[in-house]
């Protein structure tokens, strides 16, 4: 499920784009299977945001260590670190959500109520 998220697919059904209708715009549920990422609303977005922060800072740290060991000039080290700090959150934004959705589904297996809601949303979406 987490691997599906890495490719920006729905962790539950593998539907393309998951609950994102564009790179930054998301809806409350996956149009393919109807599963909502708002099942466990408390902390879901915090989890996704935290993961984004870890990825960004982790990449900068790895770059600084590799660049430092390789003897890159300070201006290059800082320039690339700044580029990573700006670009990673932009390009990683939907992926942190889809991956975190996989983690969330793995930690909280959907209950029958969640599945019924998903079914209802899916039929509702199909009639639109
Ligand atoms: Zn789905």
């Amino acid at each position: 499920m987490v691997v599906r998220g890495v490719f920006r697919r729905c962790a539950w059904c593998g539907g393309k784009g998951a609950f994102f209708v564009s790179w930054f715009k998301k809806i409350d549920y996956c149009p393919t299977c109807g599963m909502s990422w708002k099942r466990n609303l408390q902390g879901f977005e915090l989890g996704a945001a935290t993961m984004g922060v870890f990825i960004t800072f982790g990449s900068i740290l790895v770059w600084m260590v590799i660049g430092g060991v390789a003897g890159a000039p300070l201006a290059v080290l800082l320039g690339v670190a700044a580029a990573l700090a700006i670009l990673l959150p932009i390009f990683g934004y939907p992926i942190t959500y889809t991956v975190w959705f996989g983690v969330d589904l793995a930690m909280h297996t959907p209950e029958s109520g969640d599945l019924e809601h998903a079914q209802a949303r899916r039929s509702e979406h199909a009639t639109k």
Side-chain angles (χ1 to χ4, degrees), residues 2-121:
V2 173
V3 174
R4 283 176 177 168
V6 172
F7 294 101
R8 208 170 151 257
R9 285 177 172 270
C10 173
W12 188 248
C13 70
K16 204 175 176 194
F19 36 84
F20 280 88
V21 288
S22 74
W23 196 259
F24 294 109
K25 196 174 184 319
K26 60 183 182 303
I27 53 176
D28 294 348
Y29 57 89
C30 165
T32 313
C33 66
M35 188 60 74
S36 175
W37 57 271
K38 285 189 169 174
R39 288 183 312 130
N40 303 296
L41 185 60
Q42 301 89 344
F44 180 84
E45 294 195 281
L46 181 68
T50 305
M51 207 177 66
V53 168
F54 275 116
I55 290 169
T56 303
F57 282 106
S59 305
I60 292 171
L61 191 68
V62 167
W63 159 249
M64 291 300 251
V65 169
I66 292 171
V69 169
L74 185 62
V76 174
L77 278 179
L78 294 178
V80 172
L84 285 174
I86 293 165
L87 296 177
L88 280 177
I90 293 171
F91 289 106
Y93 173 76
I95 293 157
T96 59
Y97 270 86
T98 51
V99 169
W100 190 249
F101 187 47
V103 173
D104 187 51
L105 284 172
M107 288 191 304
H108 304 98
T109 311
E111 292 156 12
S112 59
D114 295 323
L115 296 171
E116 280 164 25
H117 282 130
Q119 176 71 44
R121 275 189 293 265

